[in-house]
Amino acid sequence: MKYYEEEFEVNGYPKAVFRFKQVKGIQLFALKLTQWESSKNLYDFNVFYTDFVLSNTEVRLGEKWVSVKDKDSYLPTGIEEDGNSIMEIVARFNTEVLNPFFLKSSESH
């Protein structure tokens, strides 16, 4: 099963179901380049990265999937103030999306 087909829960929102959107490899590569270039300003990168992850995470509302972050709106309500839940989503994104992409890339060379 591919990462964007997997559904998961977040401890702070046990009744909500989340999933990651399919992200193109070139976007992941650009994200990594941005991280390297932003090493002087890690705070700004962390804000940018968290924004990227939440914008590429969906939550199911009834039968519809909607972005956790859309412009300045966040769903489920209150998640933007829940640091533990945000950290859990970001850590899962790193483990299931970002790290495997770079591991597969290094294996192909």
Side-chain angles (χ1 to χ4, degrees), residues 9-102:
E9 293 180 356
V10 173
N11 285 331
Y13 295 86
K15 294 182 182 180
V17 178
F18 296 86
R19 72 178 182 193
F20 295 119
K21 295 178 183 177
Q22 184 175 2
V23 181
K24 293 181 180 179
I26 194 72
Q27 290 176 295
L28 296 175
F29 185 72
L31 191 63
K32 197 67 164 176
L33 285 178
T34 303
Q35 180 182 15
W36 290 327
E37 293 172 6
S38 300
S39 60
K40 293 177 186 169
N41 193 343
L42 201 52
Y43 175 79
D44 286 345
F45 174 75
N46 285 335
V47 171
F48 164 78
Y49 185 69
T50 300
D51 184 70
F52 178 87
V53 172
L54 294 180
S55 296
N56 284 286
T57 304
E58 296 177 314
V59 62
R60 187 171 55 210
L61 297 179
E63 297 298 315
K64 286 179 44 176
W65 288 96
V66 296
S67 292
V68 169
K69 181 182 186 300
D70 184 25
K71 296 180 185 163
D72 290 326
S73 301
Y74 294 84
L75 293 170
T77 303
I79 196 165
E80 72 275 17
E81 300 295 330
D82 186 345
N84 289 333
S85 294
I86 292 170
M87 285 183 5
E88 190 176 336
I89 291 169
V90 169
R92 187 178 195 106
F93 185 87
N94 288 338
T95 301
E96 295 182 9
V97 181
L98 194 61
N99 294 345
F101 173 75
F102 284 98

